[in-house]
Amino acid sequence: MSNRTAAYRALTTHRLFWPVVVLVVMLAANTVYRPGFLSVQMRDGHLYGSLIDILRLSAPLILVALGMTLVIATGGIDLSVGSLCAISGAIACLYISRQPDQNSVGGVLTALALGLGVALVLGAWNGVLVAVIGIQPIIATLILMVAGRGLAQLITEGQILTINSGPYKAIGVGHLLTLPLAIFLALAAALLVAAVTRRTALGLIIESVGGNAQASRLAGIRSGRITFLVYVISAACAAVAGFMMTANVSSADGNAAGLWVELDAILAVVIGGTSLAGGRFSLGGTILGALLIQTLTTTVYAMNISPQTSLLFKAVVVIAVCLIQAPGFRARFTRRRAPATGPAPVSEQPKEQVPA
């Protein structure tokens, strides 16, 4: 019995246990509301269904959250990822719209390279502000969050750029081996980040910088370069996510593309068990958090919850998940019974006889 109790406690105290429980509950609730929610069908050689849609729509958030995980692991934050999504998508769509043949693969690849290149430069800008100049990450990235959104609108001239490019559209809604291509792109990015951070010393170095940057410098780690690097990686992930977002609708809207995705990414990272204070991080937990947030969004739409209350409903669920994950909060509602043990027996010492 004691072994079962210990196993149960180990399971329930795992950082990913409650997010998995909430995800299963939401899937069950959707199945009750719509009996065909879990069904997957094959049409024209492609898989379709609500589960496939959740995976496809969560791909951009997974990409942004992966980069955000590395930034948060160093003790920083990146609020500019939404603007970077808008900028990269706007540059790619603008270049494609000016091509005589929008279906040219070479033209699409050039557009992707331009969008990614600009995003890398802006990510390096964030890295310089934080790692070199020493500005607080929330302030440094807030600058690009505001200015970047304006830059995206300047690129699109305040209009919605519409394109008709098959190769570019495939990034968002194309298929590969019966599954959406976006799923494979997100999976490839996750495997690449995992290989770089878990198969090399980079992951431990990032965690050490987030745990104690000064001690890391004294140990010979160039924490400034690591901080600079993670902001560049975050920008690259945001750029690819921006391509997916604009490819889904074959257009670029500098005002709406990637709007508030930075907040969803931060929530995904926190739900996945990574502390905002920096240090240890979990890529698998981040992916699970992104899937949970997208499932929650799909649930809101599927149950016809009004737009006025959808954000409140989403906030309540996220708060509930974060609370039940907190050990201190669970301890307040868990009765801990101390073993009933009596006082330790006191051995009687023979009394010394006082001589008369």
Side-chain angles (χ1 to χ4, degrees):
M1 182 62 72
S2 60
N3 292 334
R4 292 183 179 180
T5 304
Y8 174 76
R9 287 184 178 179
L11 178 64
T12 55
T13 55
H14 194 277
R15 59 186 174 186
L16 300 183
F17 174 76
W18 292 108
V20 170
V21 170
V22 174
L23 181 60
V24 172
V25 169
M26 285 195 296
L27 293 176
N30 280 283
T31 304
V32 172
Y33 187 79
R34 289 190 305 166
F37 180 80
L38 297 179
S39 63
V40 177
Q41 301 177 354
M42 177 74 76
R43 289 182 295 180
D44 299 329
H46 302 150
L47 291 176
Y48 292 93
S50 298
L51 294 179
I52 303 299
D53 290 337
I54 290 175
L55 293 176
R56 179 179 64 85
L57 295 174
S58 64
L61 180 56
I62 289 175
L63 284 169
V64 176
L66 287 174
M68 187 71 73
T69 301
L70 301 182
V71 172
I72 291 178
T74 61
I77 200 79
D78 191 353
L79 299 179
S80 65
V81 288
S83 298
L84 289 173
C85 291
I87 291 173
S88 61
I91 292 175
C93 289
L94 178 63
Y95 184 85
I96 293 174
S97 65
R98 295 181 176 179
Q99 297 302 306
D101 183 12
Q102 296 188 8
N103 291 316
S104 172
V105 176
V108 171
L109 292 178
T110 303
L112 297 178
L114 289 174
L116 181 60
V118 172
L120 291 176
V121 171
L122 295 177
W125 166 258
N126 283 336
V128 169
L129 292 181
V130 175
V132 179
I133 301 179
I135 300 178
Q136 289 292 328
I138 191 171
I139 301 300
T141 56
L142 182 62
I143 296 172
L144 186 56
M145 175 186 176
V146 177
R149 187 65 62 176
L151 179 59
Q153 295 186 31
L154 287 175
I155 294 172
T156 60
E157 297 181 352
Q159 306 295 324
I160 298 178
L161 288 178
T162 303
I163 61 175
N164 186 18
S165 174
Y168 189 77
K169 186 177 181 180
I171 299 174
V173 296
H175 287 78
L176 177 66
L177 300 177
T178 73
L179 289 174
L181 180 61
I183 297 177
F184 290 100
L185 293 177
L187 179 61
L191 293 176
L192 179 60
V193 174
V196 172
T197 57
R198 296 308 184 191
R199 296 295 181 180
T200 66
L202 180 61
L204 292 176
I205 293 175
I206 290 175
E207 292 178 349
S208 65
V209 171
N212 193 324
Q214 184 176 2
S216 299
R217 287 194 296 270
L218 294 176
I221 297 175
R222 298 182 178 180
S223 57
R225 291 187 178 183
I226 299 299
T227 302
F228 176 85
L229 177 63
V230 294
Y231 282 97
V232 174
I233 295 175
S234 177
C237 293
V240 179
F243 299 149
M244 289 184 182
M245 294 174 185
T246 53
N248 280 331
V249 292
S250 295
S251 63
D253 186 352
N255 186 41
L259 189 63
W260 309 127
V261 71
E262 58 272 2
L263 302 184
D264 284 342
I266 295 172
L267 286 175
V269 174
V270 173
I271 291 174
T274 301
S275 173
L276 289 176
R280 298 188 62 182
F281 62 92
S282 172
L283 297 176
T286 295
I287 296 174
L288 177 61
L291 291 175
L292 192 151
I293 291 176
Q294 183 56 50
T295 303
L296 178 58
T297 303
T298 303
T299 302
V300 169
Y301 293 147
M303 294 186 175
N304 296 322
I305 298 176
S306 63
Q308 292 78 10
T309 59
S310 61
L311 294 178
L312 179 61
F313 175 78
K314 186 176 180 180
V316 169
V317 174
V318 170
I319 290 174
V321 174
C322 293
L323 285 179
I324 62 179
Q325 275 187 293
F329 181 82
R330 293 199 308 268
R332 290 177 180 269
F333 297 93
T334 302
R335 295 181 179 179
R336 295 181 177 179
R337 296 182 179 180
T341 57
V346 180
S347 59
E348 296 183 357
Q349 299 290 338
K351 296 182 179 179
E352 296 182 357
Q353 294 182 357
V354 179

